Amino acid sequence: MNVLALPTPEAARAHPALWAIYASEGQWHAFAWLRWLCDQVQAFLTGPDRFLAVSVPPGHGKSEFLSKFFPTWFLGTNPGARVIQASYAASLTLEWSKVSKELLALHGNEVFGVEVHPKAKSEAWDVFRWSPKAQRSIRSGYLRAVGRGGPVTGKRAELLIVDDILKDDEEAQSPVIREKAWRWFTKVALTRLTKSGKALVVMTRWHHEDLVGRLEDRQRRGLDKDGWRIIRLPAMAEENDPMGRPVGAALCPELFPIEELLRIKARDGHTWNALYQGRPTPEGGAVYKREHFR
């Protein structure tokens, strides 16, 4: 993919990565790992799985794609689709929603044949399509943006996107906040899906009992009845890497070359394992506790 030559509207409609390049007017960087993620998400939408969780290190561009470009591509290519988008704070979700709305208002007609009122509220905006029969634009879908714990009663969705449900380490270390996040996700957000709706979770790992950690634990105990597919993308590749990288290869060398990753690893091993490798363990150790040693 050449970021200097913009894709045609037809090409942008066919693939979310090409839409991101088109909508950003060539400013979005189609790094190899992001193109791989685009392919995975597109296959997820058309495949049998309904629940997908992806853990990614911080600073690698996951939110720009999954919270900015992907929702608009999904709405443009799926007539009548309804999307609920969430993160740890309403202000952050509204920021992404505002940008997405403006992109679709600017390019939606030429690429997808849809329209968005540019003055619609960021927390709730509708997508319109031209109806030849009615000779007017009619509402076909919508996006609703909420923060963790926000109300979604009365809303339904073919697609739920949850991007970083925990803000930082301080929140992750709080059992109360972790429990609130889990309960809101399972008892509120997931219940808004239609019978064939899909849920996409993307997050940086902070704690072994964060949202992805709980999903993994339920799988280990045979309690996962939804069939979650969980992808862990470490900053430095390990054995059986999902992308097929050799061991030690950087996820995005353009942003984080190996030398920088090694500096981060040397700075704080626990943070490295959790945030960058996606393998958080209890502070005291998984088997041997700190108090066991002098």
Side-chain angles (χ1 to χ4, degrees), residues 19 23-24 63-76 83 85 92-108 112 114-118 120-122 125-127 142-145 161 163:
W19 159 247
S24 68
S63 291
E64 184 177 24
F65 169 66
L66 286 173
S67 292
K68 177 179 175 180
F69 297 112
F70 176 64
T72 49
W73 178 85
F74 177 78
L75 285 168
V83 175
Q85 187 173 1
L92 178 62
T93 315
L94 293 179
E95 179 181 339
W96 287 122
S97 176
K98 181 177 182 293
V99 176
S100 297
K101 179 193 65 178
E102 292 172 348
L103 287 176
L104 203 57
L106 186 62
H107 301 290
F112 307 109
V114 302
E115 299 175 355
V116 176
H117 198 294
K121 295 180 180 180
S122 296
W125 47 272
D126 299 329
V127 178
Y142 62 66
L143 185 142
R144 300 294 182 262
I161 302 174
D163 184 356

Side-chain angles (χ1 to χ4, degrees), residues 202-264:
V202 58
M203 63 180 292
T204 295
R205 298 294 308 276
W206 290 94
H207 193 276
H208 65 285
E209 291 182 343
D210 58 20
L211 195 153
V212 169
R214 290 203 181 197
L215 292 175
E216 290 177 333
D217 179 64
R218 289 178 63 83
Q219 286 188 340
R220 284 192 294 267
R221 293 190 290 148
L223 300 177
D224 175 20
K225 305 305 181 183
D226 292 324
W228 279 90
R229 181 188 176 202
I230 301 175
I231 300 176
R232 180 174 64 90
L233 292 174
M236 289 179 61
E238 300 174 347
E239 293 285 349
N240 302 314
D241 182 70
M243 293 176 57
R245 293 176 293 162
V247 173
L251 180 62
C252 188
E254 299 89 346
L255 296 176
F256 289 88
I258 288 296
E259 296 77 16
E260 177 63 18
L261 293 177
L262 291 176
R263 279 193 288 268
I264 295 172

Side-chain angles (χ1 to χ4, degrees), residues 20-53:
I21 296 172
Y22 186 96
S24 68
E25 298 180 351
Q27 297 303 305
W28 184 72
H29 297 286
F31 300 126
W33 92 267
L34 282 171
R35 296 198 302 271
W36 183 88
L37 181 63
C38 288
D39 292 338
Q40 295 299 307
V41 172
Q42 189 176 33
F44 166 66
L45 291 179
T46 57
D49 293 336
R50 292 186 56 205
F51 303 92
L52 173 64

